[in-house]
Amino acid sequence: MLLYIKLFIFMMNIISILMRPILWFMYRKRLPNIPPIKNPLLRLSATTIAKKIRNGDLKSETIVKAYIDRIQEVNPFINAVIEDRFELAINEAKLYDEQLKSGKFTIHILEKEKPLYGVPITIKESCCLSGMSYTGGSLSRKGIKALADGPAVKIIKDAGAIPLLVSNTSEFCTSLHSYNFLYGHTLNPYDRRRTSGGSSGGRITWCRSITNWTWFGYSWFHKNTISLLWYFWS
């Protein structure tokens, strides 16, 4: 088994070497970069945003609108949105601000029970956000909508987060590149000639083009996959 794995990696390296000059010629011209982040609110961490909202230093409506503006600015460059719910998100943010102003929740309750109160988030399309596209990027599921929130989505919404959209993924989340026949390629925000990764390319692209956040899951997978292949090869 180990011999087959080493042979496979060897063949992939040979193919990579042969393809490099071809790909360089095809993609030698760099595509225009996405616009830089100008709004300082977009550089705040999720915990900082949540704390500012709880303390009354920042309105949920303000940060939600800031995220929406940024998404609308960069999505034409990266193609990460499958379906948005911007109007609903703004209305939810207004409601959250009103509830906070009325004293419905204390800071202590929000910290313990709703730590993401008013914080905007994006949801991977395969995670099932009620009323939104739920195709898994497959033509066979075109037009299907989620009838209810998936378990993970419910947990994060119960924590107070406000979903803005569902993002692109590879078909049935089975590829390391976020491409499918329904919604096409999601591009890398740093260099649009390159892949955004996958299967959560839409999610990681938003993390890096809207804000300065990172995503632990992607970093862990990428690092440990390379380490695993290196182990077998050496």
Side-chain angles (χ1 to χ4, degrees), residues 85 96 114 129-130 149 152-161 163:
R85 58 187 303 275
Y96 281 21
K114 294 183 178 294
L129 177 60
S130 181
D149 292 330
V153 173
K154 186 178 186 305
I155 289 171
I156 203 166
K157 286 176 69 174
D158 287 345

Side-chain angles (χ1 to χ4, degrees), residues 3-199:
L3 178 62
Y4 286 118
I5 293 175
K6 288 185 175 182
L7 181 61
F8 172 76
I9 296 174
F10 175 76
M11 293 302 298
M12 292 300 293
N13 284 333
I14 295 298
I15 293 172
S16 175
I17 292 171
L18 294 175
M19 289 297 295
R20 281 176 188 172
I22 299 173
L23 293 174
W24 175 86
F25 181 79
M26 291 173 61
Y27 299 103
R28 64 191 184 281
K29 291 185 178 180
R30 190 182 182 96
L31 297 173
N33 292 330
I34 65 172
I37 296 174
K38 298 177 182 177
N39 190 335
L41 291 177
L42 298 176
R43 298 192 178 277
L44 299 177
S45 68
T47 53
T48 300
I49 291 171
K51 184 176 181 180
K52 284 181 174 291
I53 291 173
R54 288 195 299 266
N55 293 337
D57 299 326
L58 176 64
K59 287 188 175 182
S60 176
E61 181 184 0
T62 301
I63 191 67
V64 164
K65 286 183 175 179
Y67 269 63
I68 291 172
D69 288 344
R70 179 62 176 171
I71 290 167
Q72 291 175 330
E73 181 181 32
V74 301
N75 192 60
F77 292 85
I78 57 178
N79 186 41
V81 176
I82 288 181
E83 186 178 6
D84 70 68
R85 58 187 303 275
F86 293 155
E87 187 174 345
L88 288 173
I90 291 172
N91 290 336
E92 289 171 6
K94 290 179 179 178
L95 175 62
Y96 281 21
D97 289 334
E98 291 172 2
Q99 289 177 342
L100 199 59
K101 187 177 180 180
S102 69
K104 181 176 181 179
F105 301 110
T106 65
I107 292 178
H108 178 73
I109 289 176
L110 290 178
E111 287 177 342
K112 296 296 182 181
E113 300 180 8
K114 294 183 178 294
L116 295 177
Y117 190 85
V119 176
I121 60 167
T122 66
I123 303 293
K124 185 176 179 179
E125 198 247 19
S126 59
C127 290
C128 201
L129 177 60
S130 181
M132 304 295 285
S133 176
Y134 184 46
T135 65
S138 174
L139 284 172
S140 65
R141 293 176 55 83
K142 184 177 181 180
I144 291 178
K145 303 282 187 178
L147 300 179
D149 292 330
V153 173
K154 186 178 186 305
I155 289 171
I156 203 166
K157 286 176 69 174
D158 287 345
I162 299 177
L164 302 180
L165 55 85
V166 288
S167 59
N168 201 19
T169 178
S170 57
E171 186 170 1
F172 294 131
C173 305
T174 56
S175 173
L176 298 181
H177 173 51
S178 289
Y179 166 78
N180 58 70
F181 290 110
L182 273 180
Y183 307 110
H185 295 270
T186 293
L187 305 179
N188 190 310
Y190 291 116
D191 186 344
R192 296 194 298 126
R193 297 170 298 179
R194 303 182 183 278
T195 179
S196 61
S199 62

